Amino acid sequence: MSTELGKAFARAKARGEGALVAYAMAGDPDLARSVDVFVAMVEGGADVLELGVAFSDPIADGPVIQAAAERALKAGATLRRVLDEVVPEVRRRCPETPLVIMTYVNVVMAMGEARYAKLARERGISGTILPDLPPEESAALRAAFDAEGVDLIPLCAPTTPPARAEGIAKDARGFVYCVSVAGVTGMRAELPANLSERLDLVRRAASVPVVAGFGISTGEQAKALVAHADGVVVGSALVKAAHADGPAAAKQLCADIKRGLKR
Amino acid sequence: MTTDTAAGRFGRYGGRYVPETLVPALMELEGAYAEAQRDAAFGAEVARVLREFVGRPTMLTPAHRLTESWGGAQVWLKREDLAHTGAHKINNTVGQVLLARRMGKKRIIAETGAGQHGVATATACALFGLPCEVFMGALDVERQALNVFRMRALGAVVRPVESGSRTLKDAMNEAMRIWVSQVEDTYYVIGSAAGPHPYPTIVRDFQAIIGKEIREQTQAAIGRLPDAIIACVGGGSNAIGALHPFIPDASVRLVGVEAAGHGLQSGQHGASLTLGTEGVLHGSRSLVLQDEHGQIQEAHSISAGLDYPGVGPELAHLAKTGRMEVRTATDDDALSAFYEVARTEGILPALETSHAFAAARGLARDMGKGKHLVINCSGRGDKDVATISARGVPPATGVKS
């Protein structure tokens, strides 16, 4: 796993906290202002930044992130421009925070997986999440990423049978992204009751940190999960806050969730 | 990226590029379908419903006046427009809804472009008593009012999709998103030979009845296989259904016709086999219309069934390996073919099918006399009359006004 990601999780753990992986859409509302959102989230306590790169047909995303993707595409946020214009600026302003790209496999394929992996490493990207790339399809792409030391971070779903979940956890790079609800990204009032058991199972099998994501929007939810996960991913709630009220709102929400993540 | 170990590949194309949440459901479907295929009773039930309800076999009609007018190959029409609900789509929905029932699924979702697949799904659901929701681009809801009514009359809920281009591609995104959140008890009936494995195989198998009948019917009518078969290609379910049984027969030319929309140079077309590049859309790797950054482009066709920016992976493979020839027809070509067929054969073809007719004229002439050409009439044109008549109707033929 990339050293940076490992260190970020270790730092949070040493402080007695779960890690916050904070997602925002690169290029929403435009490339420059999305940098301000990422920086504000780090100021609010985010341990890892997840930069969404927009795709026209985001089948794993709910309405909030889909709308953000449409805004980002209008603003010209291609993968190439995110790597050239957003990532270096975020790195400059938040040098300690590891960065992860989340996009769809077609966006990476269009650039070429080897070319992407090389550029990602050069720009300081620690890992990549591709929600439409299950393990069966990922071998060659992961080899290209491994060659550059960029982690291909796998997802595990509530519908994933236990043996398969263990396999995903054992082979994981970076961290395991445990999808908390059967569904697309987006805020939920309630998280499933059996989520903690699933997280425990994946955590036992994994040699890397395990985070829970999808549906998490409050410090209270984070508090309930931190006993069973090394951290949480928050996406739609931050995208919504930043879109409605700007970077300061995203910073505030990160701080609220970080309070919930204290053990 | 090579992924040779993955299931459901057609050469480089196919695969299963979906959120992990759906993978177990697709594996369950793969297993259930394999089991159903081994069960003679399931095959017999599908065959019975196709015979008693759908009206199969559909006819193979000799097109005497078109043959004479075009002056080339003898033209035959495979009449999927005569199947119940007016298009080939019903072959697949009957099969999949029976499969869903066998799997114990409680509800059915589907997406539709022109509405024919939605109508066919709603019909099969009504027949077997399953609740049905159909996702349809809001633009398509507007331009396919007749089919929207038919779906509602059949008891289905039509859900207009407002995102993106408000057409089939977006309806498919939305259906997949809804499926991700309700995957436990919901069966997603995909209407084209596209999507993640095993759908391209399942849809092709249920549609291959078209090609199997063409084999038998041409053997009976002319004592041999046809020299060419031509079909329109959007996602490509009617094309793969008609063509697949002939893949090993080197003497049979297989021809697919894509929508050239306002012209291949216009940027407004649906020609993903001709101008698409390799990409991943809706769960499978195939040829797609996309920009250099991997963003899917909006397709255009006068036909709501052909304006899809992707194509089924097996057709992509057949096109790339040269087994299938690919031709194109513009909106104007299709419209003019529509009237030509209406006025020479007394058939109003769907606008999708009109693309096949538009390209068939040149093909028939290239082939020449003594050869036999089958055109797959994928569906009837009733659903398109508002679109077509809005452009004005040419004056009556042979009548003094």
Side-chain angles (χ1 to χ4, degrees), chain B residues 356-394:
Chain B
F357 276 107
R361 173 201 280 258
L363 178 62
R365 287 180 178 165
D366 292 349
M367 291 168 70
K369 287 188 198 285
K371 301 286 188 181
H372 292 270
L373 167 64
V374 177
I375 302 170
N376 194 33
C377 296
S378 55
R380 65 177 194 229
D382 309 38
K383 68 185 173 59
D384 296 318
V385 294
T387 305
I388 297 167
S389 64
R391 298 182 175 224
V393 182

Side-chain angles (χ1 to χ4, degrees), chain B residues 18 39 75 78 92 94 147 187 209 224 226 240 272-273 332:
Chain B
V18 293
D39 180 357
V75 178
K78 179 57 175 169
N92 167 53
V94 160
N147 275 342
Y187 186 102
I209 185 77
R224 62 181 181 87
I240 196 66
S272 37
L273 291 171
D332 289 344

Side-chain angles (χ1 to χ4, degrees), chain A residues 85-179:
Chain A
E85 298 172 42
V86 176
V87 170
E89 193 57 17
V90 176
R91 292 289 286 172
R92 190 182 67 76
R93 290 169 66 181
C94 313
E96 300 292 306
T97 310
L99 309 183
V100 166
I101 295 272
M102 175 156 171
T103 187
Y104 286 80
V105 65
N106 197 56
V107 173
V108 170
M109 270 180 57
M111 179 176 276
E113 47 268 46
R115 186 157 163 253
Y116 166 73
K118 182 166 180 290
L119 262 180
R121 178 184 53 77
E122 288 170 3
R123 299 289 187 277
I125 295 296
S126 298
T128 301
I129 302 168
L130 301 171
D132 58 345
L133 190 75
E136 289 78 6
E137 307 290 356
S138 71
L141 202 143
R142 194 166 77 161
F145 283 24
D146 282 351
E148 297 288 349
V150 176
D151 292 332
L152 179 60
I153 294 157
L155 295 104
C156 183
T159 52
T160 308
R164 182 179 166 90
E166 283 175 358
I168 290 172
K170 281 200 180 98
D171 285 350
R173 308 277 197 273
F175 55 86
V176 183
Y177 190 142
C178 258
V179 175

Side-chain angles (χ1 to χ4, degrees), chain B residues 57-268:
Chain B
T58 59
M59 277 191 278
L60 185 72
T61 304
H64 298 299
R65 296 192 63 220
L66 271 183
T67 301
E68 189 186 323
S69 155
W70 289 352
Q74 161 80 48
V75 178
W76 298 85
L77 309 180
K78 179 57 175 169
R79 301 294 304 281
E80 293 304 295
D81 59 319
L82 296 181
H84 178 50
T85 71
H88 70 289
K89 294 286 186 185
I90 190 80
N91 304 324
N92 167 53
T93 60
V94 160
Q96 283 198 52
V97 172
L98 280 171
L99 188 59
R101 196 177 66 167
R102 187 185 162 92
M103 292 170 73
K105 298 293 179 181
K106 303 288 181 239
R107 58 196 284 268
I108 299 290
I109 59 169
E111 90 298 320
T112 195
Q116 286 303 104
H117 174 59
V119 168
T121 306
T123 299
C125 287
L127 184 65
F128 301 119
L130 283 166
C132 178
E133 281 172 55
V134 181
F135 297 86
M136 190 171 185
L139 181 64
D140 291 337
V141 170
E142 287 165 26
R143 58 185 178 173
Q144 300 291 338
L146 174 62
N147 275 342
V148 172
F149 167 77
R150 292 168 78 196
M151 286 182 267
R152 288 180 173 150
L154 289 159
V157 174
V158 178
R159 302 210 182 277
V161 175
E162 296 285 352
S163 56
S165 55
R166 304 161 79 233
T167 62
L168 176 59
K169 156 178 105 71
D170 310 288
M172 205 154 169
N173 289 335
E174 189 64 16
M176 290 195 105
R177 280 194 281 259
I178 296 297
W179 196 35
V180 174
S181 48
Q182 300 170 357
V183 66
E184 297 284 348
D185 63 348
T186 301
Y187 186 102
Y188 176 18
V189 180
I190 289 186
S192 202
H197 175 64
Y199 282 105
T201 300
I202 292 178
V203 176
R204 176 253 281 156
D205 289 351
F206 285 132
Q207 293 295 1
I209 185 77
I210 304 171
K212 288 176 192 160
E213 288 176 7
I214 294 173
R215 283 190 90 87
E216 289 169 14
Q217 289 166 324
T218 51
Q219 293 279 11
I222 59 174
R224 62 181 181 87
L225 297 182
D227 300 291
I229 305 169
I230 189 166
C232 63
V233 176
S237 72
N238 90 91
I240 196 66
L243 304 181
H244 187 267
F246 295 92
I247 291 172
D249 301 297
S251 69
V252 183
R253 285 171 73 177
L254 308 181
V255 185
V257 185
E258 298 195 293
H262 295 314
L264 292 177
Q265 276 73 49
S266 69
Q268 292 182 293

Side-chain angles (χ1 to χ4, degrees), chain B residues 193-362:
Chain B
H197 175 64
Y199 282 105
T201 300
I202 292 178
V203 176
R204 176 253 281 156
D205 289 351
F206 285 132
Q207 293 295 1
I209 185 77
I210 304 171
K212 288 176 192 160
E213 288 176 7
I214 294 173
R215 283 190 90 87
E216 289 169 14
Q217 289 166 324
T218 51
Q219 293 279 11
I222 59 174
R224 62 181 181 87
L225 297 182
D227 300 291
I229 305 169
I230 189 166
C232 63
V233 176
S237 72
N238 90 91
I240 196 66
L243 304 181
H244 187 267
F246 295 92
I247 291 172
D249 301 297
S251 69
V252 183
R253 285 171 73 177
L254 308 181
V255 185
V257 185
E258 298 195 293
H262 295 314
L264 292 177
Q265 276 73 49
S266 69
Q268 292 182 293
H269 56 78
S272 37
L273 291 171
T274 307
L275 294 175
T277 52
E278 192 169 308
V280 169
L281 175 64
H282 296 144
S284 73
R285 175 154 50 163
S286 188
L287 294 169
V288 299
L289 300 177
Q290 59 183 330
D291 68 14
E292 60 182 305
H293 305 292
Q295 305 300 338
I296 307 301
Q297 291 175 321
E298 290 179 12
H300 166 82
S301 169
I302 190 172
S303 163
L306 299 186
D307 66 356
Y308 179 61
V311 63
E314 190 167 8
L315 287 177
H317 177 62
L318 291 176
K320 278 288 173 185
T321 55
R323 180 65 189 95
M324 180 175 73
E325 304 163 38
V326 181
R327 300 188 176 209
T328 62
T330 63
D331 288 355
D332 289 344
D333 295 338
L335 272 174
S336 111
F338 171 85
Y339 285 111
E340 181 180 26
V341 175
R343 290 173 183 204
T344 50
E345 293 294 340
I347 292 169
L348 303 190
L351 276 174
E352 291 86 341
T353 312
S354 299
H355 287 74
F357 276 107
R361 173 201 280 258

